[in-house]
Amino acid sequence: MSIKMKLSVIALSLCATSVWSAPTNATPNSQANTQSANPLSFMNDRFVISGTARVRADTVKFGDEKRNTSSHLNLDTWLTARIWQDWRVKMQLEPQMNLETGKMNGDHDVPMNKLYAEGTIVGDWKARIGKYGAFSSYGRLLDNEVTGVEVAYDNPALPSKFGVARVTKHLNDNAYGAEVRRKGLVYAQTQMPVDAYTNIGATVAYLNDIKRDIPTPGNPRKEDSAWMGEIGFDTRLTPDWRFMAAYSQTDIDDVYDHTGAKVKNNGFFTQVKFKEADWNVRNSYDIFLNGRRVGAMSGVSSVEDYSKNVEGVQVGANYVPWRNLKLNAFYLHGKEVNAISPAGKRDVRAARVQAEYKF
């Protein structure tokens, strides 16, 4: 066993120690198992520290290439300060250690991913100002940090969001040179409850000045804007079964892969899930199966790892052996949507084991 895999196993074991050493009962105390994590708070909850500790080991294989394994220990920490009424300033620090090298990942040992203020404007209207995480209705169009202002109508009858921001991103982490560097993003989204069990969500966005690399002789690098859209729904079929599906598309149709084919500008994701792993309920679990075909030009970013430029099927499970501790594992079997190299599209195989503790 390699050193990095040994480190991963040791870290996973340490995260699980509290589970196996804790007392068990056939009928556990319901109150003890439904309380949320207890964050550190100071000065009558004016200052709060909370977050998640995560250890993860992945193995990925593209085509005939050698299988690549990676593992890390991550501490996602939120520092919150209440400044006036329900207005708060929030900062996210997310240091990550590479368990293979023992060194920190990224340019900074303790990177600051988010820093923003949020609170109520009036009634059901709320706002976020600063560097925050933008997330589209089902995460097929947006799932990354932006800097700007977001106004939300926080009403269960028709929750909606409107944002004006600046984004720095390679679109869906693509390898084709399409990117935005500190350019403008405007978006609007809403979610409409059809009934007590079903919701329909939609997002539309406008992204300014996307750079394209088009590998055609005499065709220079250019910048142009783009419209983007996402629509989807989620429903609870029975008390134990849930289903969702979402589709996204942009009008970016002039980016090409290394074989000369247009990079796909649409993406589809659907998932069925049995049960629900609840952080607060001991021995709760879920099993999920999803299918995806996500083109690299289908959005600014997409939720779900190994989702960009991949079509395939994923099966996995989550298990909560003790309150605030969650174990996760999955296996993905798929293929590239567009070629990354002139050799053509490759098969994609990915697997993960992970443990998270919420505090």
Side-chain angles (χ1 to χ4, degrees), residues 125-177:
W125 291 93
K126 301 181 182 298
R128 294 196 293 181
I129 305 170
K131 185 180 181 182
Y132 60 89
F135 191 84
S136 57
S137 303
Y138 292 94
R140 312 314 311 170
L141 198 69
L142 287 168
D143 179 32
N144 61 282
E145 287 79 31
V146 300
T147 302
V149 179
E150 181 182 85
V151 177
Y153 180 58
D154 191 21
N155 188 301
L158 195 66
S160 305
K161 294 180 181 179
F162 312 89
V164 178
R166 188 181 69 179
V167 62
T168 299
K169 180 78 175 176
H170 265 76
L171 270 69
N172 256 343
D173 298 325
N174 73 89
Y176 312 109

Side-chain angles (χ1 to χ4, degrees), residues 11 26 64 81 162 167 173 256 283 286 302 307 316 319 345 358:
D64 296 328
F162 312 89
V167 62
D173 298 325
Y256 299 83
N283 290 327
D286 60 57
S302 300
S307 183
Y319 175 56
K345 296 188 287 186
K358 186 173 69 171

Side-chain angles (χ1 to χ4, degrees), residues 17 22 35 118 128 151 155 160 190 261 314 318:
T17 299
Q35 294 177 348
E118 68 175 4
R128 294 196 293 181
V151 177
N155 188 301
S160 305
T190 189
Q314 182 189 61
N318 292 285

Side-chain angles (χ1 to χ4, degrees), residues 16-94:
T17 299
S18 62
V19 180
W20 312 124
S21 61
T24 59
N25 295 298
T27 55
N29 183 286
S30 59
Q31 182 178 1
N33 283 277
T34 55
Q35 294 177 348
S36 61
N38 295 317
L40 297 175
S41 61
F42 309 92
M43 298 178 63
N44 195 28
D45 291 337
R46 184 167 293 274
F47 300 98
V48 177
I49 301 175
S50 61
T52 305
R54 177 178 67 239
V55 61
R56 171 185 293 174
D58 284 8
T59 175
V60 187
K61 182 176 175 62
F62 291 93
D64 296 328
E65 292 183 3
K66 182 180 178 181
R67 187 175 297 277
N68 176 48
T69 58
S70 61
S71 56
H72 70 244
L73 180 63
N74 186 93
L75 185 63
D76 182 5
T77 305
W78 285 90
L79 309 178
T80 304
R82 180 165 52 86
I83 53 178
W84 179 69
Q85 294 184 355
D86 71 338
W87 278 86
R88 290 170 168 79
V89 173
K90 293 187 174 183
M91 177 189 294
Q92 182 196 34
L93 304 175
E94 196 169 5

Side-chain angles (χ1 to χ4, degrees), residues 94-98 103-113 131 168 181-182:
E94 196 169 5
Q96 185 180 99
M97 176 184 288
N98 187 316
K103 297 180 180 180
M104 305 302 290
N105 289 332
D107 298 330
H108 305 283
D109 287 349
V110 185
M112 183 195 72
N113 290 343
K131 185 180 181 182
T168 299
R181 309 297 293 177
R182 297 181 174 86

